[in-house]
Amino acid sequence: MAREAAATAAGLLLMLLLLAGSDGGGQRLEAAAGGRSAAKGANVEAAAPPPRRAPAPAPPVVASPGQFRGQARLPRFAAPRRYDLRLRPDLVACTFTGAAAVTVAVSAPTRFLVFNAADLSVDRSSIRFRDLAPKEVVFFDDDEILVLGFSNDLPLGEGVLSMKFNGTLNDKMRGFYRSKYKYKGQMKNMAVTQFESVDARRCFPCWDKPAFKAKFKLTLEVPPGMVALSNMPIANQTVTGPVKTISYEESPLMSTYLVAIVVGLLEYIEGVTPEGTKIRVYTQVGKSNQGKFALDVGVKSLHLYKDYFGTPYPLPKLDMVAIPDFAAGAMENYGLVTFREVALLFDEESSSESSKQNIAITVAHELAHQWFGNLVTMEWWTHLWLNEGFATWMSHLAVDSFFPQWNIWTQFLDDTTAGLKLDSLEESHPIEVEIHHASEVDEIFDAISYDKGASVIRMLQNYLGAERFQKALASYIRKFAYSNAKTEDLWAVLEEKSGEPVKNLMTTWTKQQGYPVINAKLKGNYLELEQAQFLLDGSSGRGMWIVPITAGCGSYDMQKKFLLKGKSDRLDIKDIASQCGNQVKGGNFWIKLNINQTGFYRVQYDDKLSAALQNALQSKKLSVMDKIGIVEDSHALSMACKQTLTSLLRLLYAYREEADYSVLSHINTVSLSVAKISVDATPGLVGDIKQLLIKILLPPSVKLGWDPKDRESHLDALLRPVLLVALLKLGHDKTINEGVRRFGIFVHDRNTSLLPPDTRKAAYLAAMQNVTSSYRAAYNDLLKVYRESDEAEEKARVLSTLCHCKDNNIVLESLNLLFTNEVRSQDAYYVLQGLDVESRETAWLWLKGSWDRIAKKYTDTQEGGFIRYIVTLFSSNEKAEEFSRFFATRKKPEFQRALKQSLENVRVSARWIQGIRSEPRLAQTVQELLRRP
């Protein structure tokens, strides 16, 4: 929204009418009384209604509070400069009281102040601006705004807006909420904030938009024994009777969604960066030792980012806190980063290697935000990817620096694959997505903003070169420090520093959804390339991109790089590499596009090029990243019915001697996808297809075994459970029996070396294979493990296996745990992860029958997760119609996108099934591959 200009007195009425323009041309301005609402959200204590009067002639049209309804953004005629906040949480009653004194700058004539508030009770009598009491106090529930109308125009310049309010420490993990934890055998409440994206308004009245940066001065009143943390260090504290009053230093300019508070019984460990910044990891009492690994990564990250961005860490301290109840993985609050326990705490005895890697990535991600997001903040949620895409990319850069043996850039292709998968749907969205209402924001925290965003950054860095890219980013950070930026601002700096047409190139990737598939055909000595938008439903979209093409021929020694700017182009293969010469025959010939998968696109080769690549694959001439790219592209093309499942299975078979973790993790994912679709597409052949997939995955699993080896690599430790779980899901009897054996030993000896953390999930899954309503010993044993453990990772591990059972009564019992206090609401999706094709009908009937209970207990965004996990288990158009009918009267903006994407995935699967059923050589190919030695 453009800033309103100052108006003369004569033009004031016109300006106020213009402010109402987005209500729709000619739409009647709502009367103030008609806008009041206290149904939910902020509650304004109303004065007694005035006595009734006789109807009077209609007054001339004047501006009213109603003009501010339905706006995506707050008006800019008044903006906060400084918040002075005092909050007093009651951890027993789970309520809080507060007082705010906000310095507000009025920059244009207005008699209104408009700001956000939700789930708060505001004391109307306490509201003052420059000692003036408002004439009107109107809350619009749907928009979560509070409008103050004064009798006369407010003076230009700064004044203080003050008010008192109170609210509830809710159990929804947003705003100012409560988290439960155990201390000395008793359950206690912790007070925690989670404000991103639009929930600061649930703690205090504020201008809750990223562009309204201000300084914050917080004061907390808490019980004397509690640790109370905020963004800044403590300035002073006093204890008077049962109250400890803590005042914190004033913050630099920051957005409301980055304000943070944590109050509870906590302990910490501490480290210091080479620059002298103090870093602490706070945990529940007794768990601080588990913060050592995260602390080490945090110290290294701050030091690395200071050099990379050419700007010191902006605050005097950094705290990282493990929160028992936390909706996201972590949150980058300025100077006070909050995490799920499983994303911050690592125990050498009980944590897995995958957990260790996840903690490193998560800590590096959140600390990258201290620059990309906190110091320089997106101007509006449309530019969310500037935060999340860059933090995702930077976290891999940092972890690769700390742990080069992890090959983290190869694992980054997991992120690229996730982005490609979501962005191949019609119901995807551009990286820069228009946000029209606060209810839409949470749904774009997805694989487009994170994974596609990070992938196009990697593509751009590869095009510009690492050194030029880094210097330009540092310049961008310095230029926009303590302010807000748009995507165009980043492109302008990169273009200025690199001399490349960055804006024209990257706009095609950020402002339109989707991506291209490059069709490659060999015609004589020419390679013909043509781009078309790739969609999983098999249609061709109208998108067109400027595509950074990389190509190699027969070798990685020489590569051709160029921009495909139009729909098609052709290359003389001599230009790709001299090794190709004029002949395109012989065993050494192959052409690979998108070298090392640096580009965000897929490639479809003609038959000759595909055969040559498969030969190169079997001859071990391709890089690990290119091995991943080939199988992922083939899988997607098969789903879109652009290639056959028959050809995909032949390709998968070519990987049977593969040993690399990253490659095999992708082979595993594709294999399980094939097994799932086969249940519906070829029920008579599904057993043989599973046996073929087992034949591919079993050799590397046998080589690794169940037991870790001395001094084995991190990647081998990651691979072992991936393969074991896949074999279990494919029904490999020997793996199931061994898992059951080891689980039986573990039940009687929790410290047995036969079941370390990395392989426990595999054993739990094996044990669940034999569980029935009448033989439930293993199920009861798993519930006991869950109830007795105080480790978040172990609890998640158990939950994710409980629904993997052939007895639907056990599946129902597991799903109903979600309505008990035994499962934290943040952990619901672990239970849903255990569902499979065999239990899908039971899960769908449960979802329908339990929807009202789900809607009552879980947030609107979490409801989208229930839909996604259960609906996408199905693969028929009839089921898609059934889902559509059910949700037609239950739609909410917060999960609308998740519902549409889930329905589209069901229809994509239905179309894939029809394609598979029409393949004449599928059964013959499966038998042929099974017979091979």
Side-chain angles (χ1 to χ4, degrees):
M1 178 182 280
R3 294 179 183 272
E4 273 69 39
T8 61
L12 175 59
L13 179 58
L14 174 62
M15 189 201 76
L16 291 172
L17 290 173
L18 286 173
L19 285 174
S22 57
D23 277 328
Q27 183 174 337
R28 178 180 59 85
L29 295 175
E30 296 189 30
R36 288 190 175 90
S37 169
K40 60 179 180 177
N43 177 36
V44 179
E45 296 177 9
R52 291 181 176 271
R53 297 180 181 176
V61 176
V62 295
S64 76
Q67 70 186 283
F68 302 107
R69 299 193 73 172
Q71 307 297 313
R73 310 195 193 192
L74 296 173
R76 297 303 297 258
F77 50 64
R81 295 289 180 261
R82 181 181 185 273
Y83 291 84
D84 196 327
L85 298 173
R86 179 177 288 262
L87 294 167
R88 183 171 187 169
D90 185 327
L91 298 178
V92 177
C94 293
T95 60
F96 66 91
T97 58
V102 188
T103 302
V104 179
V106 179
S107 58
T110 180
R111 68 179 187 88
F112 295 104
L113 292 178
V114 186
F115 48 91
N116 297 110
D119 300 338
L120 295 173
S121 180
V122 179
D123 179 4
R124 174 175 178 162
S125 65
S126 71
I127 302 175
R128 293 290 185 277
F129 180 66
R130 291 178 176 264
D131 294 326
L132 299 172
K135 177 183 177 183
E136 302 165 289
V137 180
V138 186
F139 174 69
F140 295 111
D141 176 72
D142 290 343
D143 298 305
E144 298 179 342
I145 60 170
L146 195 58
V147 181
L148 308 181
F150 295 84
S151 298
N152 300 302
D153 287 351
L154 300 173
L156 298 182
E158 293 187 356
V160 175
L161 170 67
S162 59
M163 68 190 76
K164 296 178 181 178
F165 52 91
N166 60 73
T168 300
L169 294 174
N170 68 75
D171 60 356
K172 300 296 185 182
M173 296 183 291
R174 65 176 186 170
F176 203 10
Y177 73 92
R178 62 182 181 268
S179 175
K180 292 186 177 296
Y181 63 104
K182 191 172 286 187
Y183 177 72
K184 293 184 178 179
Q186 292 188 324
M187 293 305 297
K188 300 283 186 180
N189 289 320
M190 181 185 296
V192 186
T193 57
Q194 170 57 39
F195 291 162
E196 191 178 32
S197 54
V198 290
D199 292 316
R201 63 193 66 178
R202 288 176 166 78
C203 181
F204 56 94
C206 57
W207 278 255
D208 200 13
K209 299 290 186 289
F212 285 104
K213 283 192 167 184
K215 296 181 178 181
F216 289 83
K217 184 76 172 69
L218 266 68
T219 300
L220 297 179
E221 297 177 357
V222 301
M226 292 291 167
V227 172
L229 307 171
S230 189
N231 306 83
M232 300 297 290
I234 294 173
N236 57 72
Q237 61 181 358
T238 59
V239 177
T240 304
V243 177
K244 176 167 63 173
T245 302
I246 307 171
S247 294
Y248 299 89
E249 294 177 15
E250 184 173 276
S251 76
L253 289 169
M254 57 191 280
S255 301
T256 49
Y257 78 89
L258 295 169
V259 177
I261 297 164
V262 177
V263 181
L265 294 169
L266 302 167
E267 64 182 26
Y268 68 87
I269 56 172
E270 183 177 281
V272 181
T273 69
E275 295 74 35
T277 302
K278 189 178 294 184
I279 302 182
R280 290 178 175 177
V281 173
Y282 283 87
T283 71
Q284 293 184 50
V285 175
K287 291 189 175 184
S288 60
N289 236 17
Q290 297 177 31
K292 287 182 178 178
F293 177 69
L295 178 64
D296 180 59
V297 174
V299 169
K300 291 176 179 175
S301 295
L302 282 195
H303 180 61
L304 183 146
Y305 293 150
K306 180 267 300 181
D307 290 339
Y308 190 87
F309 293 126
T311 301
Y313 171 66
L315 300 185
K317 61 92 176 175
L318 175 75
D319 296 328
M320 299 189 287
V321 191
I323 308 297
D325 297 280
F326 200 75
M331 176 59 206
E332 67 267 20
N333 312 300
Y334 224 171
L336 180 57
V337 185
T338 44
F339 297 76
R340 277 193 188 206
E341 287 191 330
V342 73
L344 188 68
L345 305 184
F346 180 80
D347 185 272
E348 293 289 347
E349 299 299 321
S350 61
S351 298
S352 63
E353 282 294 304
S354 60
S355 176
K356 186 175 192 177
Q357 181 173 296
N358 181 60
I359 290 167
I361 288 284
T362 306
V363 169
H365 179 109
E366 303 308 327
L367 270 53
H369 274 309
Q370 305 303 305
W371 285 263
F372 242 104
N374 299 6
L375 182 61
V376 180
T377 310
M378 64 204 164
E379 186 270 342
W380 179 240
W381 297 106
T382 292
H383 310 282
L384 172 68
W385 85 282
L386 286 177
N387 283 15
E388 301 303 347
F390 268 92
T392 301
W393 181 79
M394 284 299 304
S395 67
H396 285 77
L397 183 144
V399 171
D400 184 58
S401 173
F402 309 149
F403 307 101
Q405 70 277 18
W406 289 5
N407 295 344
I408 206 70
W409 279 119
T410 304
Q411 296 188 57
F412 177 80
L413 294 187
D414 295 348
D415 298 73
T416 301
T417 299
L420 288 167
K421 182 178 180 182
L422 179 54
D423 211 27
S424 59
L425 300 179
E426 283 275 13
E427 292 295 343
S428 179
H429 62 82
I431 285 178
E432 295 182 75
V433 59
E434 289 300 320
I435 297 296
H436 303 291
H437 195 275
S439 62
E440 302 172 11
V441 177
D442 284 346
E443 280 212 309
I444 65 167
F445 283 78
D446 61 8
I448 302 301
S449 297
Y450 286 74
D451 301 325
K452 182 181 179 181
S455 297
V456 299
I457 291 164
R458 178 173 176 252
M459 180 171 67
L460 179 60
Q461 187 220 23
N462 183 69
Y463 175 71
L464 296 179
E467 187 175 346
R468 281 202 299 181
F469 188 71
Q470 182 267 324
K471 288 181 178 178
L473 281 189
S475 179
Y476 166 82
I477 291 290
R478 289 191 295 270
K479 182 174 182 179
F480 291 96
Y482 300 105
S483 62
N484 298 82
K486 300 178 181 180
T487 301
E488 290 77 11
D489 297 322
L490 176 61
W491 298 158
V493 174
L494 285 167
E495 196 161 289
E496 176 191 348
K497 298 298 180 182
S498 70
E500 297 286 348
V502 174
K503 181 179 179 181
N504 288 342
L505 166 64
M506 296 307 294
T507 295
T508 67
W509 295 94
T510 62
K511 288 192 178 295
Q512 65 177 335
Q513 75 180 56
Y515 58 87
V517 56
I518 307 300
N519 291 285
K521 297 179 181 179
L522 201 58
K523 293 287 183 71
N525 288 330
Y526 288 93
L527 182 66
E528 295 187 348
L529 306 178
E530 184 175 347
Q531 66 162 299
Q533 183 174 352
F534 178 78
L535 291 165
L536 272 180
D537 66 6
S539 63
S540 293
R542 293 178 295 178
M544 188 74 65
W545 290 263
I546 299 176
V547 188
I549 299 288
T550 53
C553 181
S555 166
Y556 286 93
D557 295 337
M558 291 182 62
Q559 296 178 28
K560 174 75 172 178
K561 295 186 178 183
F562 68 98
L563 294 178
L564 177 62
K565 297 181 179 179
K567 185 171 180 60
S568 61
D569 203 346
R570 67 189 307 218
L571 294 176
D572 188 328
I573 61 170
K574 288 183 295 185
D575 293 338
I576 303 177
S578 58
Q579 182 175 334
C580 283
N582 291 318
Q583 301 298 318
V584 290
K585 55 188 176 183
N588 292 326
F589 168 77
W590 52 266
I591 292 177
K592 174 68 174 66
L593 300 180
N594 196 13
I595 297 294
N596 288 326
Q597 303 305 114
T598 54
F600 194 79
Y601 56 90
R602 298 199 183 279
V603 182
Q604 181 168 15
Y605 301 92
D606 67 15
D607 291 343
K608 185 169 187 176
L609 292 171
S610 292
L613 267 181
Q614 191 157 323
N615 286 334
L617 173 69
Q618 291 174 302
S619 303
K620 305 187 187 311
K621 295 176 181 176
L622 299 181
S623 71
V624 167
M625 288 185 177
D626 282 337
K627 290 179 184 179
I628 293 170
I630 289 169
V631 75
E632 287 291 351
D633 285 354
S634 185
H635 179 220
L637 289 164
S638 178
M639 290 182 69
C641 299
K642 301 290 187 182
Q643 287 183 2
T644 63
L645 178 60
T646 305
S647 64
L648 176 59
L649 289 174
R650 286 192 179 277
L651 177 64
L652 284 172
Y653 194 78
Y655 288 83
R656 65 193 179 281
E657 295 180 4
E658 184 57 56
D660 181 83
Y661 159 71
S662 292
V663 177
L664 281 169
S665 69
H666 286 263
I667 297 300
N668 164 73
T669 302
V670 173
S671 296
L672 292 177
S673 169
V674 168
K676 175 189 170 186
I677 203 69
S678 299
V679 171
D680 294 320
T682 58
L685 194 59
V686 67
D688 287 341
I689 288 177
K690 287 185 176 180
Q691 287 304 308
L692 176 59
L693 299 173
I694 288 171
K695 184 178 180 182
I696 295 167
L697 296 173
L698 186 58
S701 181
V702 169
K703 183 177 179 181
L704 286 172
W706 278 81
D707 300 306
K709 313 290 193 297
D710 289 340
R711 294 185 297 278
E712 73 178 0
S713 72
H714 168 77
L715 295 174
D716 280 349
L718 290 181
L719 179 58
R720 179 177 291 107
V722 167
L723 294 174
L724 289 173
V725 167
L727 291 170
L728 285 158
K729 290 184 175 181
L730 291 170
H732 185 243
D733 290 337
K734 189 172 181 180
T735 304
I736 293 171
N737 293 337
E738 181 62 15
V740 169
R741 184 184 77 84
R742 289 174 182 254
F743 178 74
I745 295 170
F746 173 76
V747 165
H748 296 99
D749 178 12
R750 300 285 178 84
N751 296 315
T752 177
S753 61
L754 286 177
L755 208 57
D758 287 302
T759 53
R760 276 183 206 163
K761 180 174 180 177
Y764 296 172
L765 285 169
M768 285 299 299
Q769 295 289 295
N770 299 323
V771 168
T772 65
S773 298
S774 56
Y775 182 72
R776 51 181 292 142
Y779 185 73
N780 292 337
D781 288 335
L782 276 172
L783 288 177
K784 186 178 181 184
V785 170
Y786 176 81
R787 289 162 179 157
E788 292 178 354
S789 175
D790 66 348
E791 302 295 335
E793 183 180 352
E794 180 70 350
K795 285 182 172 291
R797 194 179 288 133
V798 173
L799 290 177
S800 67
T801 63
L802 294 181
C803 282
H804 197 76
C805 180
K806 297 172 184 176
D807 189 314
N808 287 326
N809 290 320
I810 297 293
V811 173
L812 276 175
E813 184 175 339
S814 300
L815 289 171
N816 284 326
L817 285 172
L818 300 182
F819 300 125
T820 70
N821 291 328
E822 284 203 82
V823 179
R824 296 181 188 268
S825 59
Q826 68 181 25
D827 294 336
Y829 79 95
Y830 290 125
V831 177
L832 300 174
Q833 277 179 346
L835 295 167
D836 59 19
V837 172
E838 290 184 346
S839 57
R840 62 187 173 184
E841 198 61 50
T842 299
W844 169 233
L845 291 172
W846 173 84
L847 184 70
K848 287 194 295 183
S850 307
W851 186 254
D852 291 342
R853 295 175 73 189
I854 292 169
K856 184 176 180 181
K857 177 168 182 177
Y858 293 93
T859 66
D860 296 338
T861 303
Q862 285 177 306
E863 288 176 72
F866 278 82
I867 293 170
R868 197 182 301 276
Y869 275 105
I870 293 175
V871 166
T872 55
L873 292 169
F874 292 86
S875 55
S876 74
N877 290 320
E878 293 75 18
K879 273 294 179 184
E881 291 304 316
E882 183 181 339
F883 302 144
S884 295
R885 289 192 299 271
F886 178 79
F887 289 109
T889 57
R890 297 168 175 84
K891 292 178 181 176
K892 294 180 182 178
E894 290 82 359
F895 63 72
Q896 184 70 4
R897 196 184 297 273
L899 174 60
K900 289 180 177 179
Q901 290 169 353
S902 298
L903 292 174
E904 184 176 353
N905 273 312
V906 174
R907 294 186 176 106
V908 165
S909 294
R911 185 174 179 274
W912 190 17
I913 286 170
Q914 293 305 312
I916 293 170
R917 288 175 178 171
S918 68
E919 294 184 28
R921 296 181 56 81
L922 179 59
Q924 180 182 341
T925 299
V926 171
Q927 297 305 322
E928 174 196 332
L929 294 175
L930 279 173
R931 286 194 300 268
R932 288 188 185 179

